[in-house]
Amino acid sequence: MARMTPPRERITDTARLIAPAAPLLAIAGAAALAAAYTLQDGAARASLAAGGATLLALAVVLAACRLQAGRSAARLRNRVAAVAANDPDPCIATDAKGIIRQLNDAARARLGDIAGEPVTSALAPLTAHPQDMALSLQKRAERDGHALREMPMANGALRLSAHRLEPEGLLWRSEMRGHDPRRPPDFGALSLPIAMVAPDGTITALNDALAALLGGRPDAVGALFRGAPPEHDGPVELDTADGPLQRRLLQRTAPDGTRELYFLPADPAPPSRPAAADPLADSDALPVALIGLRRDGTVAHANAEARRLLDLDGGDHFGDLVEGLGRPVDAWLRDALDGRAIDRPEILQARRVTPERFVQVTLRAGRADGPALIALVSDATELKSLEAKFVQSQKMQAIGQLAGGVAHDFNNLLTAISGHCDLLLTRRGEEDPDYPDLMQIHHNTNRAASLVGQLLAFSRKQSHKPEILDLHDTLSDLTHLLDRLVGERVRLQLELPSDPLHLRADKRQFEQVLVNLVVNARDAMPEGGNVVIAARLERLENALHRDRAMVPAGDHIRITVTDEGTGIAPDQLDRLFEPFYSTKKPGEGTGLGLSTVYGIMKQSGGFVFCDSTPGAGTTFTLFLPVADAAPAAPAETARQAPQAQENAVVLLVEDEAPVRAFAARALRLRGYSVIEADSAEEALERLADDALHVDIFVTDVTLPGLDGPGWVREALATRPDTPIVFISGHASDIFAELREEIPNATLLAKPFSINELWSATAAQLAAPCPPARRG
């Protein structure tokens, strides 16, 4: 079996993203450990000590995750090497993020060594929308185990398949079927004679212009010429139906050895002057950009397409036209002159063109009496843009998954710490010597819970309760708070239209967005100034493409928050919405304010953009979809707070022992009888006893093995009228789907207080059973 070269590893230490949160967690953990040794209650002391120790052990868990990831990558390489090494068709393996980690020999010959690049770089030559194709096949393969797509081509059909690898990753394979080697799809309509030749000299395609010139379609490259086939560019003599014909040959060789032969008109050779030394003089009709370069790197000639792509006049140095190579352009050209950088395409940025344009440049050797180098240039802007979008989306998704997972674990710890603190506070008054220490624990736990809430907002797993909001009323109510936040030096102004504006959003989250933006504006103006919040209805006739996002056409509410502060440097704008990235001085910000804004806007179906000029100020622009006005709600009669149902039996299912201990003690303190279980399987085993009476289920959503909703569905088959309280470390939108299947249920988000647990349980016990329930 052929040995496959392992790709270059790219190890990213994602654990560093949560580093700024460590001091706060250390304070909470240390405070919990310190308080544990001062308490007389043995159970409370053990629970607090366990919580603090768990916080300090998080770094070890993260290190283990990194080690496991490395082992998974090694297993993926071994499996792919064993399966695909000898496959004659191109095969590549990608990891869970869509990054190419392995290629077989056929793929490397066809595509080059593209290990470490996104899979879209391999699909770009096949389709104008490689990202859409990659995402579609990836989703189907992850769902069904495999995915297949056949794309009709002018010469047959390209069969592209993706197969799921365990435990993660995909194996991609491409195969050309029904290929007709006589009519290439790209060159058929061109008037310039063109042929495509395989490495063994077989003609795989030639266009109609060349077929008409030759009077037929020969099979081998030797049949094109009078004499031996030429090895280099230059004058050639074609063997046509009308006899010998002088042409100038220009060749382009692909990484797999396939050659494209372009037959340009022959150089004129009038008696009064020697033959033209420039093989590109008549290349303006070509649909590809060609540039002839002298040995010193200056442009000797450029055809019309090259002049359009690079905005060049002639005589320019090639280094003045492009940038982004990572090394001097002169060094690259010297390597090409020495034969070391021939036929290796490079993606560069055009320096003179606005808006931003990227080009792919391939260098070919010239001839002694003409240009020293010939550069083949093509527009790669769309490819570069799609690559940047894909990389950015993968990056933000990875950060969001990390933030959501970390927030879930922290919420369990914070629930245990704050819950046991609540239990202690129920038995101690303000005169107790331990009361100030307990309040410090309670205060720091709430601060940690606020930080976790911002992580959840960025990962879009925060509890989201959208409603129809009147923008005028919402901003009027919020103005009083914002005035206090900005202080006396900053003046807050509202600019709202006379007509009412309505949007659909979670009111608390929408207010948090405005508070975060106004606080940032205040901090940017230490000497004072004006902050203007303006809103208006804006109709987009066409979709707005900006900052790798697309705002769809239609009616939107446009809200801007503008300050007169110090502004933001251009090189910082791209990272502005990343979590833990801050433009403030160390110690003055957590770096979570704008990432929270980003997460909430995404969760609400909106968009956020930033425009800033250093020294002049910053404007944040929000786009939110317009909503119809909400119908007037019927007046509700006053309801009393639910009371505890004495002697009610609660089945409590929670796998985190500290959380379960707190919840059980709190419910018993309220007068309930509590049956504890640490897994769904244990809960179902207890419910198998028909003699056991249970009034309510209180269960965690995330459990090892069968999850909370799963075991509840099974239990309701025999106990259909039992109310449920779900508790979760990240209240995601999945609960909205659960309401359809389990209508007599409510959600209690962690961390929750003892009063919140009491109220949720009592309310579910007091609520009437829905008239219809799925069994």
Side-chain angles (χ1 to χ4, degrees):
M1 179 175 293
R3 181 179 180 272
M4 302 179 69
T5 305
R8 296 182 296 272
E9 300 293 341
R10 297 183 178 180
I11 302 174
T12 304
D13 188 9
T14 55
R16 65 181 174 79
L17 295 172
I18 64 168
L24 184 56
L25 297 173
I27 292 174
L33 290 173
Y37 288 102
T38 65
L39 302 179
Q40 301 300 323
D41 189 309
R45 181 170 61 250
S47 297
L48 287 176
T54 305
L55 287 172
L56 298 177
L58 179 61
V60 178
V61 176
L62 292 174
C65 291
R66 290 182 58 198
L67 180 60
Q68 181 62 28
R71 292 176 177 172
S72 297
R75 289 196 298 269
L76 173 63
R77 289 194 298 270
N78 294 335
R79 284 195 303 275
V80 174
V83 173
N86 292 325
D87 196 320
D89 291 306
C91 297
I92 62 176
T94 59
D95 59 18
K97 298 179 180 180
I99 302 301
I100 297 174
R101 295 302 184 193
Q102 195 72 27
L103 302 91
N104 70 350
D105 293 339
R108 188 173 287 104
R110 181 73 57 82
L111 304 171
D113 190 2
I114 57 173
E117 298 183 16
V119 70
T120 51
S121 62
L123 301 181
L126 308 178
T127 175
H129 305 284
Q131 184 180 19
D132 293 342
M133 178 185 291
L135 291 177
S136 175
L137 290 175
Q138 182 176 353
K139 288 181 179 178
R140 287 163 50 199
E142 290 175 348
R143 182 190 65 206
D144 303 330
H146 70 279
L148 177 66
R149 182 167 181 178
E150 287 198 3
M151 293 171 287
M153 310 288 283
N155 305 326
L158 178 69
R159 185 184 182 96
L160 180 64
S161 60
H163 303 269
R164 186 176 64 207
L165 298 174
E166 299 296 343
E168 63 178 19
L170 294 176
L171 177 65
W172 304 74
R173 185 175 183 271
S174 66
E175 176 185 3
M176 194 68 183
R177 307 183 67 179
H179 183 66
D180 178 3
R182 287 297 184 266
R183 194 174 298 278
D186 295 330
F187 303 145
L190 297 180
S191 60
L192 181 72
I194 303 173
M196 298 180 66
V197 181
D200 62 356
T202 301
I203 297 178
T204 60
L206 55 84
N207 67 348
D208 294 339
L210 183 56
L213 197 63
L214 299 174
R217 296 180 180 272
D219 294 324
V221 67
L224 299 176
F225 307 97
R226 294 179 66 87
E231 297 182 358
H232 304 288
D233 297 346
V236 295
E237 194 173 54
L238 293 180
D239 190 6
T240 71
D242 298 328
L245 178 66
Q246 298 294 324
R247 287 277 171 165
R248 179 163 295 280
L249 173 65
L250 181 65
Q251 304 182 69
R252 179 187 178 192
T253 305
D256 62 355
T258 300
R259 290 181 295 158
E260 297 176 6
L261 308 183
Y262 299 85
F263 295 98
L264 281 64
D267 294 336
S272 58
R273 57 184 178 90
D278 188 356
L280 306 181
D282 299 312
S283 60
D284 280 351
L286 285 175
V288 293
L290 296 173
I291 300 176
L293 300 175
R294 301 184 181 93
R295 297 189 65 84
D296 61 359
T298 57
V299 176
H301 180 84
N303 68 351
E305 181 66 9
R307 294 192 296 271
R308 183 191 69 82
L309 278 180
L310 298 179
D311 191 23
L312 58 86
D313 300 323
D316 302 289
H317 191 280
F318 197 62
D320 297 330
L321 303 175
V322 294
E323 62 183 355
L325 185 63
R327 59 173 176 152
V329 173
D330 282 337
W332 178 44
L333 297 179
R334 284 196 299 271
D335 286 346
L337 289 170
D338 295 337
R340 293 192 298 270
I342 297 298
D343 292 333
R344 290 197 316 215
E346 297 283 357
I347 302 294
L348 305 172
Q349 183 175 357
R351 305 183 69 166
R352 298 179 177 178
V353 182
T354 56
E356 185 178 67
R357 175 179 293 164
F358 291 89
V359 292
Q360 177 176 299
V361 181
T362 304
L363 297 179
R364 292 295 310 274
R367 64 180 191 182
D369 59 345
L373 292 172
I374 296 177
L376 178 63
V377 185
S378 58
D379 193 340
T381 304
E382 183 177 0
L383 174 62
K384 196 70 175 179
S385 176
L386 291 173
E387 178 186 354
K389 289 180 182 178
F390 184 76
V391 171
Q392 179 70 6
S393 66
Q394 293 291 310
K395 174 182 176 182
M396 299 301 278
Q397 181 182 0
I399 296 174
Q401 289 175 346
L402 175 65
V406 169
H408 173 266
D409 293 337
F410 287 170
N411 272 333
N412 280 328
L413 298 173
L414 295 174
T415 301
I417 295 173
S418 64
H420 284 93
C421 190
D422 285 345
L423 289 173
L424 291 172
L425 287 172
T426 61
R427 304 195 300 270
R428 285 168 168 79
E430 295 185 10
E431 69 283 354
D432 191 289
D434 291 332
Y435 185 83
D437 295 331
L438 293 173
M439 290 304 298
Q440 278 294 320
I441 296 174
H442 191 272
H443 175 67
N444 281 284
T445 302
N446 287 338
R447 291 181 60 201
S450 176
L451 175 63
V452 171
Q454 295 185 67
L455 285 172
L456 287 173
F458 172 76
S459 63
R460 285 173 263 170
K461 294 181 179 179
Q462 182 179 17
S463 180
H464 186 64
K465 300 176 181 178
E467 58 183 296
I468 304 299
L469 302 178
D470 185 303
L471 187 61
H472 293 70
D473 294 343
T474 303
L475 289 179
S476 297
D477 295 341
L478 189 61
T479 302
H480 303 291
L481 171 62
L482 296 178
D483 281 332
R484 292 197 299 271
L485 287 175
V486 298
E488 297 179 353
R489 292 187 176 184
V490 176
R491 181 187 176 196
L492 183 66
Q493 302 177 28
L494 290 181
E495 296 181 0
L496 304 177
S498 57
D499 296 332
L501 297 175
H502 296 89
L503 56 95
R504 181 176 175 82
D506 184 302
K507 183 176 182 180
R508 180 180 59 83
Q509 293 180 9
F510 179 67
E511 290 176 346
Q512 184 179 359
V513 166
L514 294 178
V515 167
N516 288 3
L517 294 179
V518 169
V519 168
N520 276 357
R522 177 203 65 187
D523 294 342
M525 298 185 296
E527 303 300 325
N530 295 318
V531 176
V532 180
I533 302 178
R536 71 171 187 265
L537 179 66
E538 181 163 321
R539 170 165 294 180
L540 297 178
E541 299 297 338
N542 300 304
L544 172 63
H545 295 267
R546 178 179 172 182
D547 297 348
R548 306 189 183 101
M550 183 195 74
V551 183
D555 291 335
H556 299 268
I557 294 179
R558 177 190 177 111
I559 303 173
T560 58
V561 179
T562 305
D563 64 58
E564 301 171 343
T566 55
I568 303 170
D571 60 343
Q572 295 177 327
L573 290 175
D574 288 341
R575 300 188 59 193
L576 208 56
F577 298 108
E578 293 183 10
F580 306 115
Y581 180 78
S582 176
T583 60
K584 300 178 183 178
K585 297 179 181 178
E588 293 185 0
T590 62
L592 286 173
L594 290 178
S595 65
T596 300
V597 171
Y598 174 86
I600 291 175
M601 292 301 295
K602 286 295 184 183
Q603 195 172 21
S604 303
F607 301 85
V608 56
F609 304 107
C610 178
D611 298 284
S612 185
T613 302
T618 301
T619 297
F620 283 91
T621 303
L622 312 177
F623 283 94
L624 286 160
V626 175
D628 295 330
E636 296 184 359
T637 57
R639 296 175 54 189
Q640 293 184 348
Q643 300 296 319
Q645 180 178 323
E646 293 186 4
N647 301 322
V649 179
V650 180
L651 176 57
L652 174 64
V653 186
E654 169 61 64
D655 61 312
E656 289 286 337
V659 177
R660 189 174 66 252
F662 150 63
R665 290 184 59 192
L667 292 170
R668 291 189 179 104
L669 188 63
R670 193 64 168 174
Y672 300 116
S673 297
V674 181
I675 302 172
E676 299 182 41
D678 62 2
S679 67
E681 290 74 16
E682 182 181 354
L684 292 174
E685 183 178 348
R686 289 180 177 272
L687 292 175
D689 183 2
D690 295 334
L692 178 65
H693 174 74
V694 175
D695 294 295
I696 187 171
F697 301 149
V698 179
T699 176
D700 193 3
V701 172
T702 305
L703 293 169
L706 189 61
D707 61 8
W711 81 260
V712 166
R713 291 190 192 96
E714 293 188 24
L716 289 178
T718 56
R719 301 170 186 262
D721 297 328
T722 309
I724 304 102
V725 176
F726 285 113
I727 55 179
S728 174
H730 51 76
S732 63
D733 292 339
I734 192 174
F735 186 68
E737 302 175 6
L738 292 178
R739 286 185 182 274
E740 300 296 326
E741 302 180 46
I742 312 174
N744 194 21
T746 189
L747 181 68
L748 182 60
K750 298 177 182 177
F752 51 83
S753 67
I754 189 171
N755 288 325
E756 291 171 335
L757 177 61
W758 286 344
S759 296
T761 306
Q764 285 300 96
L765 287 169
C769 181
R773 180 187 297 278
R774 291 183 57 177

